[in-house]
Amino acid sequence: MPIRLKIARSTAEKAEVYRFRHRVFVEEERRFDNPGNHITDQYDSFAETINVLAFDGHQPVGSIRVIMENDAGFPADDFYDFTPFRKTIDGSSACIGWLCCTRKYRRHPGLVIGLIKMC
């Protein structure tokens, strides 16, 4: 079955993204100590934020987040001042993050590339 990509638009779809992040980053990889069942941050509430889920059938297998340029900034701004670079760009910029996929699909041909292209 081919991998299907979907933009999470509804509250239920966004909650599925946040639970999927938890599944990958906490349960599979043990990167964070998070006792809840989802991972979010303040950027997930922005209107300029887009989350994409990849599905194999009805099972989520990958996800990525895009934050379009906005007045509040990007997560990367907490680590580095990109202002000088942004001034050289014609148009707007975006920040991509929270890229993840389940262990079983990490070597799936085209999954990561497909998520990035969807951005």
Side-chain angles (χ1 to χ4, degrees):
M1 179 176 290
I3 299 294
R4 178 177 51 94
L5 302 178
K6 181 177 182 180
I7 295 174
R9 298 186 192 279
S10 70
T11 300
E13 291 167 344
K14 291 176 183 179
E16 188 170 24
V17 169
Y18 311 147
R19 284 190 303 272
F20 181 74
R21 284 182 198 161
H22 188 276
R23 180 176 150 205
V24 172
F25 291 117
V26 176
E27 296 170 24
E28 283 190 10
E29 296 182 358
R30 309 250 186 258
R31 287 187 184 211
F32 307 111
D33 182 24
N34 182 320
N37 68 351
H38 62 276
I39 294 176
T40 62
D41 61 26
Q42 68 270 22
Y43 299 97
D44 286 313
S45 66
F46 293 2
E48 296 84 3
T49 297
I50 300 166
N51 283 288
V52 179
L53 266 174
F55 292 89
D56 187 359
H58 297 290
Q59 184 68 33
V61 296
S63 181
I64 195 168
R65 175 175 78 180
V66 180
I67 304 169
M68 303 307 291
E69 194 162 325
N70 62 76
D71 293 333
F74 297 128
D77 294 337
D78 293 339
F79 304 99
Y80 188 81
D81 182 9
F82 289 95
T83 306
F85 300 106
R86 284 193 193 126
K87 289 180 182 178
T88 66
I89 297 173
D90 290 332
S92 60
S93 57
C95 181
I96 297 174
W98 285 121
L99 171 64
C100 59
C101 56
T102 58
R103 186 170 283 118
K104 179 180 175 183
Y105 285 83
R106 293 201 180 136
R107 298 197 186 275
H108 185 282
L111 174 61
V112 171
I113 298 297
L115 285 166
I116 292 171
K117 283 182 177 181
M118 185 77 162
C119 294

